[in-house]
Every structure is written in structure tokens, then in C-alpha cells.
Amino acid sequence: MIGKLLKRASTAASDGSIVFDSARKATGGRTRTRTVMTMAVFFAIYSTIAGRLVYLGFQDPDTSGVPASRITASRPDIVDRNGEVLATDIKTASLYAEPRHIVDADEAIERLATVLPEIDYEQTYRKLKSGAGFVWLQRQLTPKQQGEILQLGIPGIGFRTEKRRFYPGGETAAYVVGLTNIDNQGISGMEKYIDEQGLSDLQQSGLAIAKDLKPVQLSIDLRVQHVVRDEVAIGMEKYHAIAAGAVVLNIKTGEVLAMASVPDFDPNNPYNAQDKDRLNRMSAGLYEMGSTFKSFTTAMALDSGKVTMDTKFDATRPIRIGRQTIHDFHGKGRWLTVPEVFIYSSNIGSAKEADVVGIDGHREFLHRLGILEKMQTELPEVARPTEPKVWKKVHSITIAFGHGVSTTPLQTAVGCAALMSGFLMEPTFLRRTQEEAMATAKRVVKDTTVAGMRYVYRLNAEKGSGRNARVPGYRVGGKTGTAEKVVNGRYSKEKNFNAFVAAFPMDDPQYIVLSIADEPKAEKPGMGATAASNAGMIAHNIIARSAAMLGVKPDFSHENDPTLVSFQ
């Protein structure tokens, strides 16, 4: 009995163990299934993320709201002929914001305004509320501004290091060196020329690396440039002119050693660079150059072979043509030789010199000297001269003494340089040797014409209207030009454009100095306001201060030259 009971208990226990094992096996299977499924889900998620990252890695990044790399904005230094720096790159900080991270736009602007009081509230508010990933707030900050903004601790704003241009000389050579914009791209002067020669392409391709860019050396001599800018600024104030300017040109090479025009601007802070009166009058201004044009008329007459230094012209009475009457400012009322026509600045004599050559010959000669062609040079700011569409006799007569055509002062200087050497050379703002210049120079007048023009230039400085420009020891020659300006279609008796062109040393001319004064007034009551009184004095001062720098040695043996004929 007991044995049967034990056997049943053993059988029951065995059946219970079987049931428990079956349940345990079923539960373990379900757990493994859930684990596998969970692993599969995570694997799918991470596979999707990895696949997306790989896809994005092969796509072009979206940089629509982010500025280009600052490396591409590097520019070469600009230096003068002696290696003095005229323009260079410096690092600067620019302020940006990430609008998505700005907590309170109003508060951010109020705090920024404590450092940047000029900040535009409405424009900045729109930027900060735009939801964009990146916006500029203020470019090219000073280190002091950057430090003060950092101390404000505004979340969502930061700084990027950029390049900007720095001009050590300030306004000294502003119109020659030029300007760059906020992105360090050249927009005027030689800065723009450099971009046009391929720098902008290098910047866009990311190849404009600062260490690989060689300095650009100009023809400018910073010492002489300082003198010229200083003297024209003094002259503008002294003679109460609306503008003044001057250029120093190397006759042997065509290099521009200095050129200034005032009013000008400071390229480090060019807030007024676009003002109406800010114009490089030496190359971009067009003017009737007045009696300086008699240089070309006299040279043309001599070069034609129809006139000699001894030829005389009847200046006893005015010339009447149509409704116009041509007379002399200080007429002698007699026949004048060619040198006398020049030193007395006779309009009548000059008109008759042009008449000998003829209308076609007159026009051809001025074009030959480049006076009426658009000047070819590196500087972008160059005006195109104007002339009558059809030349008539009245045009030729008035053009003979500098009225009726307009050209630039720089072109006038270049043309006068050709009369001193016989060769026309396009002006350059880059260094150039005499050999390089002569390789492209054009013979425009005969040697006999050159000799005649050197003589009358020297004679005019000793006996004529150019006396104010004389500098003892430096053998200066030249010609004045006082031209009435056109106002409302008529020549004004009250407003003049004055010029003086000088060459030195006259025994072997090396340099041309051409100075201008726009609408000058008498320095003091009772004093004159003609070119000799203002433009001539500006040229005198430039030569006196710069001749030694230019390597011209004073020679007093030529003072009171007995070969210069005395005239009454």
C-alpha cells in the first residue's frame, strides 16, 4: 500500500517537473524573440543615420548664409618705388549672430548698442528674428570694440577673423592707390587694377594665399608724393580754390612719380569718398587747358616746317571770325616772332600759327600727341577727351589757345613731355626702365622742334609769364594757362581754370610738373588770380622741395643765360 503511494507521488512529481520545464522553455523563447526584434530596430535606426551621413558627405555644403573663406580675400602689398608700404592687409574681427540661438533680440540689441551706438536697431532686429543660421551684424571692428562686446556675454553671437586693407599714408596717395570694399576687393585706383590683372580670379578659386602674393611696386616715390599732396592742399586753401592738383612725370620713362588731387579722402575711413567734389581731377577731370595748349600750337607750327623761330605773325589787331573776336590779354600791338608769341601768350599769334598748318594738320597733330585720345594707363579712372565732331576754322583758331576741346591735366603733361624728348610714352604707375619705355615709345616731333620748345620754355621762365616758377639752380622752364570756365553755356569772366606746366632741368629735361587750381581767387585783395600767381607758385614749391629727392643737382652756371634773347 505504502509502496503504491510512493510510486504515485513519484509519478506526479515527475509530471509536474515536465510541465514546469515546458513553461520555462516557452518563456525563454519569447524573450529571445523580443531581444532580436529590439536589436533589429536599433540596427535599422543606426543604419539609416549612417546612410544619411554618407549621403551628406558627398553633397556640396549649404553655405548660403555663411561668408566665404577669408583666405580668398588676401591681397598683395602695394609699395612705392623704394619699397615703402602704401597698402597692406591686416587682420580684423567681424561680429556675427546665429539667430536661432538668440534668446531675446531686443535685449541683445540694447546691450550691443552700448558698444556700437551707431547700430541700426530695426535692421538688426529683423536679422536676429530671421531664424537664419548666420547673419553679419558689424564688419571690421576695432580690438577695443571686440573686447567690450565679449564682456557683454550675449549668447548666440560671435566673431570671425577677416582681412581688411590698411593704408599707412592715409590720404597721401588716395587717388593713385585706390580703395577696397568691405570684402577686400579693389574698387578704385591701383587696387582695382590689381584685381583686373587676375587677383579676383585667384580669390574666387581660393588660391590667393598671402604668403604667395608678391608686392606690387608702383612708380610713385612716396617722398615726392607727400610733397605734391602737401603743396596742392596748401595751394587750394591759400588761393581759395574749389580744387587743386599736380603731377610729377619722368620724361625719360613716362613714370608717374607723384600725383595728387584735392579735395581727397582717407582710404582708411572713406566715408566721404563718394562726395560730389571727390574726383581725381588729374586723370578723370576734363578741362579746357587754356594757354598751356600754346605749347602744342607752337610745336606744331615748328614741326610742320612752314614756320621757323624767326617767322613773324601780325598781332597788331584782333581777329574777327563770324561773331567772335580774338584778342590778346596783354597785347603788344605789333608783329611778333614765334618766341614772342609764346612768352607774351598771344592768342592772335597762336591762332595764326594754327592757320598756317591748317585744320586737318592741327587735328592730326593733337591726336598724334595723344591729347584727344583716351589715355592708356593702369589707373582705371581716366576720362575720354572731347572735341568738335567736325572741325571748322573757328574751332582750329580757338583750340590754338586752349579753348574748344577738353582733355585731362595728366594727358597735357604727357603731351608736353613728348615735346621735351621727341617721343610719346604712355604714362605708367608701375616701375619702368628707360629701355622698356623706349621699346614702345613713338617719335612724334623732330629734334629741331624739341630744341625750339626747350628754348621757348626756358625763355618764358626767364622773361615771360613763367617767372614765378623759377627755382635757383634747377633751370626751370614752362608755360602758364588761364582759361575761363564755361558756365551755363557761356565763358565766365569770374571763374577760371588755371594751370602751369614746368620742365626741368632745361639743359636736359628729366621731369614735367603740371599743377592746376580750379576757380582760384586772389590770395589777398589787390593781388592777381591768373595762373602765374597760383598754379605757377604751386609748381615752384613742388620743384623746390622735391628736385633734390629726384636726383637733380643744382647748377648755378646757367643762371642769367646770355643765349636767352631780351624782349620788350
Side-chain angles (χ1 to χ4, degrees):
M1 179 83 178
I2 294 173
K4 289 181 179 179
L5 290 172
L6 289 173
K7 185 176 181 179
R8 287 177 184 171
S10 173
T11 301
S14 175
D15 291 344
S17 174
I18 292 171
V19 171
F20 178 78
D21 286 344
S22 298
R24 183 161 53 89
K25 287 180 181 179
T27 301
R30 287 195 297 272
T31 300
R32 283 194 299 273
T33 299
R34 285 196 296 270
T35 300
V36 170
M37 290 178 64
T38 301
M39 290 176 63
V41 169
F42 277 102
F43 178 78
I45 292 171
Y46 282 109
S47 295
T48 301
I49 293 173
R52 182 64 176 170
L53 290 174
V54 171
Y55 171 79
L56 292 174
F58 287 97
Q59 305 304 306
D60 292 329
D62 179 11
T63 59
S64 58
V66 181
S69 169
R70 293 300 98 198
I71 293 177
T72 63
S74 294
R75 302 183 65 80
D77 284 355
I78 299 178
V79 299
D80 84 332
R81 65 188 303 105
N82 300 311
E84 296 293 330
V85 176
L86 300 173
T88 190
D89 279 349
I90 60 172
K91 291 182 179 179
T92 184
S94 290
L95 178 67
Y96 71 88
E98 297 173 293
R100 296 169 189 169
H101 299 156
I102 296 294
V103 178
D104 187 330
D106 290 297
E107 181 185 1
I109 297 171
E110 287 177 3
R111 294 167 72 180
L112 285 174
T114 63
V115 180
L116 305 172
E118 74 281 4
I119 196 168
D120 187 315
Y121 185 94
E122 292 184 4
Q123 184 184 67
T124 306
Y125 183 83
R126 286 195 297 270
K127 287 182 177 181
L128 296 183
K129 299 297 286 185
S130 67
F134 181 102
V135 292
W136 284 120
L137 296 183
Q138 187 93 347
R139 308 282 289 276
Q140 301 182 352
L141 301 175
T142 66
K144 181 175 182 291
Q145 290 173 323
Q146 182 185 14
E148 291 177 352
I149 292 172
L150 281 171
Q151 291 178 2
L152 296 176
I154 303 173
I157 68 169
F159 299 91
R160 281 180 179 254
T161 299
E162 296 191 281
K163 298 282 183 65
R164 66 163 292 181
R165 214 58 165 158
F166 175 64
Y167 304 90
E171 62 276 296
T172 303
Y175 286 119
V176 174
V177 177
L179 270 178
T180 58
N181 62 15
I182 195 75
D183 292 314
N184 221 22
Q185 298 167 333
I187 56 174
S188 70
M190 293 302 289
E191 293 277 31
K192 184 176 181 179
Y193 167 79
I194 292 170
D195 278 28
E196 291 172 345
Q197 300 310 299
L199 178 64
S200 58
D201 294 335
L202 287 176
Q203 289 177 335
Q204 292 172 9
S205 63
L207 299 176
I209 310 301
K211 64 183 179 65
D212 297 331
L213 299 174
K214 295 181 180 180
V216 176
Q217 190 168 40
L218 304 189
S219 59
I220 297 296
D221 186 322
L222 185 57
R223 303 168 302 169
V224 181
Q225 179 68 33
H226 171 75
V227 169
V228 170
R229 200 272 170 185
D230 189 44
E231 287 298 334
V232 298
I234 292 171
M236 178 176 138
E237 182 178 358
K238 185 176 183 179
Y239 304 117
H240 317 289
I242 64 170
V247 61
V248 178
L249 185 72
N250 187 319
I251 294 173
K252 305 293 185 180
T253 65
E255 293 173 295
V256 176
L257 297 173
M259 188 173 75
S261 175
V262 290
D264 53 13
F265 58 91
D266 183 352
N268 294 309
N269 184 26
Y271 69 94
N272 58 350
Q274 298 299 320
D275 287 0
K276 184 179 178 180
D277 62 345
R278 264 58 179 185
L279 168 72
N280 182 5
R281 287 166 169 79
M282 300 307 294
S283 66
L286 290 176
Y287 304 97
E288 294 185 350
M289 294 299 297
S291 292
T292 56
F293 251 51
K294 290 170 184 171
S295 300
F296 307 126
T297 306
T298 299
M300 173 183 69
L302 293 172
D303 207 61
S304 71
K306 299 176 181 179
V307 172
T308 69
M309 297 291 276
D310 296 323
T311 302
K312 291 187 175 183
F313 294 94
D314 182 5
T316 57
R317 60 181 62 88
I319 297 174
R320 290 181 175 81
I321 179 167
R323 291 182 294 177
Q324 296 193 45
T325 301
I326 311 300
H327 54 80
D328 288 340
F329 186 62
H330 290 301
K332 296 297 177 181
R334 61 179 176 83
W335 288 68
L336 302 175
T337 63
V338 168
E340 289 177 317
V341 168
F342 194 80
I343 69 168
Y344 297 141
S345 201
S346 171
N347 294 338
I348 298 170
S350 297
K352 292 192 174 183
E353 286 177 343
D355 196 38
V356 169
V357 176
I359 298 171
D360 292 338
H362 193 178
R363 184 175 185 276
E364 185 278 328
F365 186 83
L366 292 181
H367 278 276
R368 190 197 314 170
L369 265 65
I371 305 300
L372 300 180
E373 304 286 347
K374 185 175 181 181
M375 185 167 49
Q376 300 301 311
T377 190
E378 299 86 11
L379 208 64
E381 295 80 24
V382 173
R384 183 182 294 277
T386 63
E387 62 175 310
K389 290 183 178 180
V390 178
W391 281 45
K392 298 179 180 179
K393 186 171 182 177
V394 65
H395 298 130
S396 181
I397 286 175
T398 57
I399 291 169
F401 50 86
H403 285 284
V405 294
S406 296
T407 190
T408 68
L410 178 57
Q411 281 175 271
T412 305
V414 171
C416 291
L419 301 183
M420 295 294 107
S421 69
F423 294 90
L424 177 65
M425 301 175 187
E426 295 290 357
T428 181
F429 290 84
L430 301 174
R431 288 206 67 172
R432 181 166 69 189
T433 65
Q434 187 171 347
E435 291 73 21
E436 291 170 338
M438 289 303 296
T440 57
K442 296 187 296 183
R443 165 71 78 172
V444 287
V445 293
K446 304 169 186 173
D447 286 337
T448 53
T449 304
V450 171
M453 292 308 300
R454 290 182 180 183
Y455 174 80
V456 295
Y457 261 46
R458 178 73 169 133
L459 181 67
N460 193 49
E462 292 297 324
K463 312 290 183 181
S465 61
R467 287 189 292 268
N468 283 350
R470 289 180 300 179
V471 180
Y474 290 109
R475 296 89 72 201
V476 177
K479 183 73 185 78
T480 53
T482 303
E484 295 176 349
K485 293 181 70 172
V486 176
V487 179
N488 298 323
R490 301 179 65 87
Y491 285 105
S492 170
K493 298 293 183 182
E494 306 298 326
K495 297 182 178 182
N496 291 337
F497 180 83
N498 293 355
F500 188 88
V501 57
F504 73 101
M506 287 311 304
D507 45 307
D508 182 18
Q510 304 289 318
Y511 301 101
I512 288 284
V513 176
L514 188 144
S515 55
I516 63 170
D518 195 355
E519 296 186 22
K521 309 294 187 299
E523 180 183 353
K524 297 177 181 178
M527 298 181 67
T530 59
S533 304
N534 38 69
M537 291 304 302
I538 293 173
H540 164 92
N541 294 338
I542 290 172
I543 295 169
R545 292 177 61 183
S546 65
M549 298 176 190
L550 294 169
V552 180
K553 297 180 180 180
D555 181 357
F556 298 94
S557 64
H558 291 270
E559 299 298 311
N560 300 315
D561 191 339
T563 62
L564 298 177
V565 179
S566 178
F567 295 95
Q568 299 296 323

